[in-house]
Amino acid sequence: MYCDDIPAPLAVNYNGPMADPRFPATRLRRLRYHPAVRRLLRNTQLDPAKLILPLFARPGKGVRQPINSMPGHAQLSVDFIAEEARQAAKFGLGGIILFGIPAEKDPLGRDSYSDSGIVQQAVKAAKDAAPELLVITDVCFCEYTDHGHCGVIADCGGRKDVDNDATLELLAKQALSHARAGADLVAPSGMMDGMVGAIRAALDGGGFSHVPIMSYAAKYASSFYGPFREAAASAPQFGDRRSYQMDGANIREAMREIALDIEEGADMIMVKPAMPYLDVIAAARERFDVPIAAYQVSGEYAMIEAAARNNWSDRDRVIMESLTSIRRAGASVILTYYAKDAARLLG
Ligand code: PBG
């Protein structure tokens, strides 16, 4: 007999001299039948300390504005951000990453670099509530601009597009303002050329040489960001992001992006989205020695939730399997809307 319910399998020697030549000598299933052996030999571990929870900060007090396409998540006023920070610390999460949705959007996204801006308020509240918790900020403009693009718009040869170098100056201001508010780590996500170098120089010049940069280095122009754009009200008002985010068909270009960001001073790099780009994570892991993060984005979350809410899949198991696959591909850290769920499941 050789099946899942062998009563005393260690006593059965399939490879000995008495082995039946009709059956294979190598038995991989021997290491699978016993849950304790499976647990002992598991290659990839999930740990709440490696998970980062994204949160959306909005103005007001006592406001929890649900996000339709991300059931279970909401835009939160700063007092609720503080509460989430306390919970994240209690769950032993690796940290939180904050996105700001300002009361007023304008062409330059001024709120993002105002010391009294929404994300600055959220950082302060989170650090006050949970001083030991790692608080990261997303450094970008699309949540703050009225046109929804990730930088300053200019006329680029008769075509409206994001002006790379004008945006760099503002990105530097924004990152510095986040650091002044108390951000422990900044994460530029706008895919501007030179953004890491510009931010590094600004942080160093402003007395924040100890603040690391996690660069969204290989960020693809992905349809999986759809729900986020509802969450942050950041859908581009014209065109799309394909002149700055990467084409989903490319992997060598991702390696160039990552190499350049490391050269410019990125301490960690990110691949985003995660599940549709596991090959990119794996290739980056092979090639670079910096810590690699992956972002399980809003659309990945929405797909899993939609299937689960229809009873088409086992939510908890799909969550754990998806996170495990991202870790197995080589990500050290995962940004995921499931951070608290996973911590609960692991606890
Ligand atoms: C840009 C940013 C985006 C996400 C994180 N940072 C949106 C975009 O590039 O359009 C997407 C995250 C998600 O989909 O969960 N600031």
Side-chain angles (χ1 to χ4, degrees):
M1 185 178 75
Y2 190 80
C3 59
D4 278 350
D5 55 1
I6 304 166
L10 297 179
V12 182
N13 182 2
Y14 286 96
N15 296 332
M18 299 303 285
D20 186 329
R22 287 176 303 163
F23 300 116
T26 305
R27 292 291 195 177
L28 292 174
R29 290 181 59 190
R30 209 157 23 225
L31 294 177
R32 285 181 205 142
Y33 86 93
H34 197 304
V37 177
R38 289 201 299 270
R39 184 165 156 266
L40 178 74
L41 301 180
R42 195 161 290 151
N43 291 172
T44 307
Q45 312 291 341
L46 287 176
D47 175 355
K50 307 283 188 199
L51 304 178
I52 292 169
L53 176 68
L55 294 170
F56 301 98
R58 57 160 295 146
K61 201 168 184 305
V63 185
R64 186 185 295 273
Q65 174 73 39
I67 302 159
N68 251 329
S69 49
M70 299 179 70
H73 280 271
Q75 298 178 354
L76 302 171
S77 55
V78 166
D79 48 329
F80 281 137
I81 294 282
E83 194 183 307
E84 287 287 326
R86 268 190 292 270
Q87 274 191 36
K90 201 182 78 205
F91 277 120
L93 297 187
I96 58 174
I97 180 164
L98 294 172
F99 297 89
I101 303 134
E104 303 249 340
K105 303 193 185 215
D106 61 51
L108 294 180
R110 287 190 176 82
D111 190 86
S112 70
Y113 50 87
S114 154
D115 285 344
S116 55
I118 183 64
V119 87
Q120 288 81 355
Q121 293 174 38
V123 168
K124 285 184 196 132
K127 290 306 295 182
D128 282 349
E132 72 285 11
L133 180 72
L134 182 73
V135 175
I136 304 171
T137 53
D138 181 83
V139 177
C140 193
F141 284 100
C142 55
E143 303 106 84
Y144 303 93
T145 51
D146 52 9
H147 46 73
H149 278 285
C150 301
V152 185
I153 297 297
D155 186 334
C156 301
R159 180 175 56 86
K160 278 204 287 183
D161 201 350
V162 174
D163 179 333
N164 193 86
D165 299 359
T167 302
L168 290 185
E169 281 177 40
L170 295 183
L171 277 173
K173 275 175 81 164
Q174 186 186 141
L176 199 50
S177 168
H178 291 183
R180 272 197 299 270
D184 299 307
L185 199 157
V186 294
S189 66
M191 290 296 281
M192 294 300 120
D193 286 325
M195 67 181 183
V196 173
I199 289 171
R200 185 72 272 158
L203 291 175
D204 291 351
F208 295 100
S209 55
H210 58 285
V211 172
I213 298 174
M214 171 167 70
S215 174
Y216 289 63
K219 176 175 177 182
Y220 287 89
S222 171
S223 311
F224 286 93
Y225 308 149
F228 176 95
R229 291 179 188 171
E230 184 203 333
S234 64
Q237 296 304 298
F238 62 89
D240 54 40
R241 302 207 204 292
R242 280 184 262 193
S243 78
Y244 40 102
Q245 299 180 350
M246 280 184 44
D247 186 327
N250 298 352
I251 186 163
R252 284 191 298 273
E253 188 186 354
M255 301 301 112
R256 288 188 73 194
E257 282 280 3
I258 294 168
L260 266 175
D261 281 7
I262 294 171
E263 229 170 82
E264 287 177 30
D267 302 283
M268 300 175 58
I269 62 95
M270 193 197 298
V271 174
K272 176 184 171 196
M275 275 229 288
Y277 297 89
L278 293 179
D279 57 329
V280 180
I281 298 173
R285 178 70 296 157
E286 277 281 296
R287 191 136 150 194
F288 301 103
D289 288 329
V290 298
I292 296 175
Y295 199 141
Q296 183 180 49
V297 301
S298 56
E300 298 177 69
Y301 175 84
M303 277 193 319
I304 294 173
E305 283 305 296
R309 276 157 207 259
N310 275 296
N311 285 322
W312 292 342
S313 67
D314 179 329
R315 181 176 186 269
D316 293 351
R317 293 181 61 173
V318 172
I319 292 173
M320 296 315 253
E321 187 174 339
S322 66
L323 295 173
T324 299
S325 74
I326 298 165
R327 287 271 292 157
R328 191 192 63 238
S332 314
V333 167
I334 307 174
L335 292 82
T336 172
Y337 300 98
Y338 285 122
K340 284 199 298 184
D341 301 80
R344 223 178 269 123
L345 292 167
L346 289 165

